[in-house]
Amino acid sequence: MLNWEKKGGARARIHHQPIHHPSIIIHHHPSTIHQPSITFAPSPLSLSHPEPSLSAPSAVLLYNMSNKRVNSSSGRMNKKQKANSSQKEFPCNECTDSFETSTQLNGHIHDTHTAKAEMTLTEGSNKIKYRIERNEAFEFECEICKEGFVKKSTIRRHLFVVSRACASKILQSRLDLDNSSLEASPEPEPVQWRSFDDAVLHATGKETEGESERVRMLYVAEKFDQFPIGFSVQGEEKNALVTGAVNDALPDKPFLAMINKSTRSNQHSETLPCLTCNPVPVPPIADLIQKTPFAKILGKRRYEELSKERTDDLNLNWVRYPEARQVAGHMLAGAILYNAKTGKGILINEVEVYGRGRMEDCHREQSGIVKDVPKQTSVPSTVGDDHYEGVRPVTLPAKDCRRLVIGTKTCDVLVTSCLRLGIRDKAPVSVGADTLNFEIPESEVEHIRIFLDCKQAEVAKNLVGKSISEITKNMGMESLRQLQTKFDELDTYDLCRFSGPLTATIRFQPRTLFTFANYKNGTGAAYGAGRLFYAIGKAVICHGEKATLSRKEVMRNQEMCRGSKEFLAPFEKIALLFGQEEQEIAIIGNAALSDGLKDLAATLSKRVAEANTKEIKPQVQALFGVVVIKEKNHISYAINA
């Protein structure tokens, strides 16, 4: 990356090892939304530590600075959050110190453990940016008096307060070197610079790509705070990207600069870790969120990586802890899955929890042998292949869909709504059990990291030991899973569907058989079928095994299906189950009723999927500011800031 330093408001240099050209010009490309470019006005350059070799003539660059583009990144996380108690809950990973707040911890790390320090040295009208790196003893050593300092603050105090003479000598040596370098500098050649967008595409090698790829790259450069500059080497423009921090540090007027090209030694290359053999490092979750288009919303939440304690809670035994299903659902709804290998991630908005054993849940994940090959499951590995012991996120093939599942030893959690943390040609929002915007193949399971929403994780922790009736007292029809079979089993009516904190209202929750009628107008065959499932779900939630279905309820909803054969046939089948004088029939244990409801569910589920696509998905997209751009043969997505 290029490192700019300025002197007197109009001088700069880029810190790398020397590359020599007869004439090189640097140009900062203006954004199209700003004012016209400023004309050339050469001025002397300055240098900072460490100094480049001057054994050969150094290349001199003219930096043409147009009005700088304003850094538009938004939604940065508030780093001034206070600790919940007076205890020091923020330990330093580099030493034994601990701090009460994250702000204090960050200040400590910045002052004590970073490898570089940068400051501005001034004397009269002279001013330079001075950078110093730690020596082998991990100290900042004054290059004049050779005294060493452990902290940035102490080297600054040494130069600014205790020994101003050292600072004066450093500044004067830099100015003398700058002047001697500029005397031999050739006159730069004029250049016709590329536009801002063209320079970005040239720097990233995307100028010959298709329109969608070029648009994507411009978006990525914007969101990752990258700005283009142009290098004119003997009249030919070359482009590179610099960070927003470098862009902000550059003056508004043109200036001369020196450029050095860094090279990596063979010895250093041999010590680099192989990414195939070593785990991919994961940046802090705050950094990941900040780089997403949804930083403004997600930045208001706090996340923590899945720990051993939380993993144990996800693996509670369902027999001894019946509340385990609610614990797992609350913990993972609102979590972030991040692929450390590909850099892709999703926010989980909705989940359904299923038990492992037949006696705990009749809708358990199926296993077995298919054509002499064990069926793929989400059951965690027993030989250490998963990153988290006892937790395995994976994509499983199902009939006509791909299901994203987080498996534990005692349950599997199906993702039914999620937000992809990036904008590409794939739709960012997925609603329903078919998750196409984020896949986890078997080969990448070990690279998946799970970050829990801190409030959700705390809620889940506090549920352990509570009774089911106490936990579910505020849960209703919206907590029933989207199922199509076994309506005679009590397990079918377990309240095991959970929403994340950002989508915990009916506007954003995917529809199911049991909630379909709540959001439709009061006419039509689909509405009648939805009313019947609503009545059945309500009866079982309120009365359990004693729940019944009335003849009156069936006949009333059957009337709405007279014009639809596909809905009417299952209703007629159910109506025949009532005896001549029988007004109510049992729901639980009634296999014949379950068969009729299965046929009705198969037809209504198609309408449920349509409603999720046409009604719920746009609502979730609007919540996160996703804009759908429809072209002739292509659909793309953008964020409405």
Side-chain angles (χ1 to χ4, degrees), residues 10 30 61 126 132 174 249 270 310 333 356 416 454 493 523 593:
L61 298 88
N126 296 321
I132 182 172
R174 296 301 186 273
E270 293 174 357
R310 305 299 193 203
R356 280 285 177 217
T416 59
C454 291
Y493 305 92
T523 60
L593 174 61

Side-chain angles (χ1 to χ4, degrees), residues 484-498:
Q484 299 185 44
T485 61
K486 302 178 181 178
F487 296 100
D488 56 333
E489 297 275 1
L490 196 58
D491 300 341
T492 299
Y493 305 92
D494 281 346
L495 300 177
C496 290
R497 189 178 178 97
F498 305 87

